[in-house]
Amino acid sequence: MNSFQETIYLGNDAIARGMLESGCGFLYSYPGTPASEILPGFVSQADKEGVRVYGQWVVNEKIALESALTIAATGMRSAAVMKQVGLNVAADPLMSGAYLGVDGGLVVVSADDPGPYSSQTEQDSRFFAMLAKIPVFDPASPDDARLMTARAFALSEQHSLPVMLRPTATLCHARQNMVPAPLLHTDQTPCFSKNPHRWAATPRHRFVLHQQLNQKLAAIGHDPQFSFSCAPRGNQRLAIIASGFAWSLAADIIDAHPDLQAQITLVKVDLPFPLHQPSIDAMLADYRRILVLEETYPVIELQLGRREQVGGRLDHAVPDAGELTPDLVKSIIYSQLEQKPPAPPRTRQKTIPRRPRLCPGCPHRSSFYALKTALKNGIYAGDVGCYTLGLNLKALDTCLCMGASITQASTLYQAYATRSDAPVPPIAAIIGDSTFFHSGIPALVNARMEDSRFVLLLLDNETTAMTGNQPTPASGLRANGSQGPKLPLEEIIRGCGISRIQVVDAYEQQLLQKELVAAWNYAIHPEGAIAVIIARHPCMMDPEARRSARRATVVVSDDCTACGTCIEEYECPALIADQTGTVRVDPVTCVGCGLCIDICPFGAIIATGNGQDR
Ligand code: SF4
Ligand code: SF4
């Protein structure tokens, strides 16, 4: 591919492109939807065009940002990429990094999920930028994101500050034609200038650094490159101030409705924090009404002040939660003009949403079934990943945040053991392998130190499944496909002070149930401790695992009594009940794992034909 030809880019690839066009040589990330494709895009584009870079998956976002800050302290350009909830994990280095600043350019990409579609919250990373006091760019389209990445690096170096780029989910996964610029080949070499007052600043010096940070922000807030004011045309009295993807939505709607064009001025804010002060003053003086459209929180709106003439999330002119959709934005704009929106051209057929489910053949389904069968009436402390869907199977009672399952199980044990005379109910923590590496390890050390008793069911599908099968340190695979050292889970768990570790194939339903019962008996015994069961089986989305998976041709015989067990308790998408409750297997969806055969209490699900190799 000639890199200067117009090409279609995915939003996340466009951001990666912007980094490479800016000479960013180091990128660190923990996978999280909607940001997961940025690192692979960075590595593969650099590789294809012969540019030497270092891009790596790391075990959590705090480490990603600490690594990027360290590279930027040596004068080179670096980036840390995460999703919005990952920014919570990276909050500590973010706050401190803003004070210490950088020598090379540093861009923090935090991708937000208005909606939210695959996240625990729909928090707005721009507020985090405000809290940390760093500038934040809000791109409106993939190409905008590419160009803003370059501007973010330039601003970062101009003011020696980390700078944030905040794309949202729709932009990350949108595709757009663009003409890429050549990649910047840099031969930057690290040069760390010793300056303990800055890089190891004591509280006294931190106060000075804070004052310097305030001065930098004030200068950026008056930089003409971030001006957005625009005088009214004719007798226009409504201005829409918008940023990010919300601007694109408003621009498309105004473009498609000529009646709006004469009545509204639409302005785009590239840098929602710090907001360009002279532009705020000019807009407030020029317009009778200002509507602020932004996702997700009222970051711009708050900087305008709560004035009579300003509408947005704060006065409920815009709903104060949720994604901005085209229909919603259209109705908001027309209601600001006190007009009715034109009737939609045609009615769309409504689709009935189905709740998300684990894939057919997913090993987690088998593990959850074994858990709730073996440890009946237990408390199941869950975690973040595909396996949060264990909730559907009634095998998950909590899900707080990454790595919290172990701490919650430990704390529940302490609460029951110390504050109740009744026997401690079976307690299990359920965590995936990637989440365990992310933040489960320190939680396990703490739980062991507290001498807590529970079963840790570690669902090891040997990948980070939910975000697209990125490798974990257990495989030792790096982002560019090269092989690094492997860090087996068993050894790490042993290093946390746990001696009872069983490894069971998650497909071995009976064995798994037996081992779970034994594990709890061990844990609750006076001489016992935390018992770990690693339920290991590859993710069904791993192409290699799919190829080598066992295959059975499964059918439901006439013995089906329509009891509903396989549908309600097992919830495999390949099992379909008709109106009478009788079940059949959908041959298109079924992957032939044969796991459902063990679930039917009437032996009605059977393997047949030549594929009885289960
Ligand atoms: S992606 Fe993998 S882990 Fe996730 S539900 Fe599907 S099979 Fe299970
Ligand atoms: S568990 Fe067996 S008997 Fe019950 S609905 Fe399913 S196939 Fe029919």
Side-chain angles (χ1 to χ4, degrees):
M1 179 193 75
N2 178 338
S3 38
F4 307 105
Q5 274 173 357
E6 190 170 80
T7 311
I8 298 174
Y9 277 83
L10 181 76
N12 280 340
D13 282 332
I15 293 170
R17 183 87 202 174
M19 290 174 177
L20 293 165
E21 290 174 359
S22 307
C24 170
F26 294 80
L27 191 158
Y28 303 90
S29 181
Y30 180 78
T33 307
S36 304
E37 298 86 2
I38 297 175
L39 172 59
F42 179 81
V43 172
S44 64
Q45 291 181 60
D47 195 37
K48 211 180 288 173
E49 298 184 41
V51 173
R52 193 171 57 137
V53 295
Y54 184 84
Q56 193 55 273
W57 296 117
V58 292
V59 297
N60 67 38
E61 298 81 0
K62 181 173 180 287
I63 291 171
L65 185 50
E66 288 163 350
S67 305
L69 280 162
T70 306
I71 293 294
T74 70
M76 299 189 288
R77 286 188 166 185
S78 64
V81 172
M82 58 203 72
K83 68 180 293 182
Q84 92 282 16
V85 281
L87 191 59
N88 302 343
V89 180
D92 213 3
L94 182 71
M95 299 297 151
S96 223
Y99 279 34
L100 305 183
V102 292
D103 278 352
L106 169 59
V107 173
V108 182
V109 179
S110 182
D112 283 359
D113 183 13
Y117 291 98
S118 60
S119 308
Q120 304 93 298
T121 67
E122 58 172 342
Q123 67 200 55
D124 190 323
S125 297
R126 300 173 309 159
F127 255 128
F128 244 126
M130 259 174 122
L131 180 63
K133 295 192 168 180
I134 63 167
V136 52
F137 282 91
D138 200 1
S141 68
D143 201 26
D144 208 26
R146 178 180 68 93
L147 299 170
M148 277 188 186
T149 304
R151 291 175 73 191
F153 275 113
L155 188 68
S156 172
E157 282 184 358
Q158 187 187 346
H159 294 278
S160 303
L161 260 179
V163 172
M164 185 184 288
L165 181 81
R166 192 290 299 245
T168 51
T170 316
L171 184 150
C172 289
H173 295 140
R175 288 174 195 274
Q176 185 181 13
N177 269 22
M178 61 190 75
V179 182
L183 303 192
L184 194 61
H185 290 253
T186 60
D187 281 324
Q188 285 185 309
T189 50
C191 177
F192 180 70
S193 306
K194 280 180 180 273
N195 180 357
H197 286 327
R198 180 176 172 196
W199 302 122
T202 57
R204 192 179 162 78
H205 284 103
R206 298 260 165 168
F207 180 64
V208 176
L209 291 172
H210 189 187
Q211 288 172 318
Q212 289 172 359
L213 177 59
N214 288 341
Q215 286 162 8
K216 291 175 188 178
L217 284 180
I220 296 167
H222 285 83
D223 185 337
Q225 69 163 310
F226 301 117
S227 164
F228 56 85
S229 65
C230 183
R233 281 176 286 113
N235 59 358
Q236 284 176 329
R237 287 293 172 262
L238 173 65
I240 298 177
I241 297 179
S243 79
F245 201 70
W247 177 86
S248 291
L249 288 176
D252 283 352
I253 289 163
I254 293 170
D255 218 32
H257 296 82
D259 57 315
L260 295 178
Q261 289 159 20
Q263 303 184 67
I264 298 172
T265 298
L266 172 67
V267 297
K268 176 170 178 275
V269 174
D270 290 345
L271 198 79
F273 179 80
L275 210 51
H276 188 248
Q277 285 302 316
S279 296
I280 298 176
D281 298 340
M283 297 295 290
L284 286 166
D286 284 346
Y287 291 90
R288 199 164 57 212
R289 179 87 181 144
I290 292 175
L291 173 70
V292 184
L293 289 176
E294 56 187 328
E295 283 184 321
T296 312
Y297 291 173
V299 173
I300 295 173
E301 199 182 341
L302 278 171
Q303 293 174 83
L304 292 179
R306 285 211 64 182
R307 302 171 206 242
E308 282 294 295
Q309 78 208 85
V310 178
R313 304 261 188 197
L314 291 174
D315 71 346
H316 304 291
V318 179
D320 59 7
E323 190 187 23
L324 293 178
T325 61
D327 285 347
L328 178 61
V329 171
K330 188 157 88 176
S331 75
I332 293 168
I333 293 174
Y334 274 100
S335 75
Q336 290 294 305
L337 295 166
E338 295 175 354
Q339 294 169 14
K340 271 197 162 171
R346 59 187 162 83
T347 50
R348 276 194 221 121
Q349 217 176 348
K350 285 218 165 136
T351 50
I352 301 160
R354 272 181 67 172
R355 68 175 177 180
R357 294 164 181 215
L358 295 167
C359 304
C362 175
H364 299 339
R365 180 179 287 104
S366 176
S367 300
F368 279 123
Y369 191 83
L371 176 69
K372 68 181 181 181
T373 309
L375 303 185
K376 277 198 176 61
N377 305 318
I379 306 177
Y380 315 124
D383 224 299
V384 180
C386 285
Y387 52 92
T388 308
L389 295 170
L391 199 61
N392 294 350
L393 300 168
K394 303 183 204 72
L396 211 74
D397 295 309
T398 68
C399 180
L400 180 61
C401 61
M402 292 286 278
S405 58
I406 295 175
T407 302
Q408 290 196 297
S410 171
T411 309
L412 282 163
Y413 170 79
Q414 297 298 340
Y416 276 95
T418 61
R419 293 298 175 96
S420 168
D421 294 332
V424 177
I427 296 172
I430 305 101
I431 192 167
D433 49 339
S434 187
T435 313
F436 181 71
F437 280 112
H438 180 282
S439 43
I441 296 170
L444 187 56
V445 170
N446 190 69
R448 181 70 191 105
M449 192 269 294
E450 292 192 44
D451 193 20
S452 292
R453 312 298 182 89
F454 57 89
V455 176
L456 171 57
L457 179 58
L458 209 160
L459 306 179
D460 180 17
N461 58 9
E462 301 167 334
T463 188
T464 315
M466 193 188 196
T467 48
N469 293 95
Q470 293 83 6
T472 72
S475 73
L477 280 176
R478 301 197 181 99
N480 63 1
S482 65
Q483 182 67 56
K486 297 181 181 183
L487 296 175
L489 284 167
E490 293 90 315
E491 286 180 25
I492 292 169
I493 294 165
R494 216 165 278 124
C496 295
I498 310 291
S499 55
R500 195 181 194 286
I501 307 165
Q502 309 284 125
V503 182
V504 182
D505 184 332
Y507 271 23
E508 296 300 328
Q509 180 62 221
Q510 303 305 332
L511 181 61
L512 197 48
Q513 288 188 25
K514 193 172 132 241
E515 292 298 349
L516 280 160
V517 171
W520 173 245
N521 288 339
Y522 166 81
I524 206 66
H525 190 273
E527 305 298 317
I530 297 166
V532 175
I533 294 189
I534 300 176
R536 185 167 284 156
H537 200 95
C539 167
M540 274 298 108
M541 287 296 112
D542 175 343
E544 182 49 42
R546 271 179 90 100
R547 261 194 299 278
S548 56
R550 71 186 188 188
R551 297 218 165 265
T553 305
V554 179
V555 294
V556 181
S557 74
D558 292 343
D559 293 339
C560 175
T561 62
C563 71
T565 305
C566 61
I567 299 286
E568 280 146 36
E569 300 297 321
Y570 204 63
E571 207 189 45
C572 175
L575 296 175
I576 300 165
D578 67 16
Q579 279 164 341
T580 67
T582 308
V583 167
R584 68 175 177 83
V585 176
D586 174 12
V588 177
T589 322
C590 179
V591 295
C593 66
L595 290 169
C596 55
I597 292 169
D598 295 329
I599 306 310
C600 176
F602 299 96
I605 307 179
I606 50 175
T608 181
N610 298 328
Q612 297 182 35
D613 55 347
R614 58 181 297 274

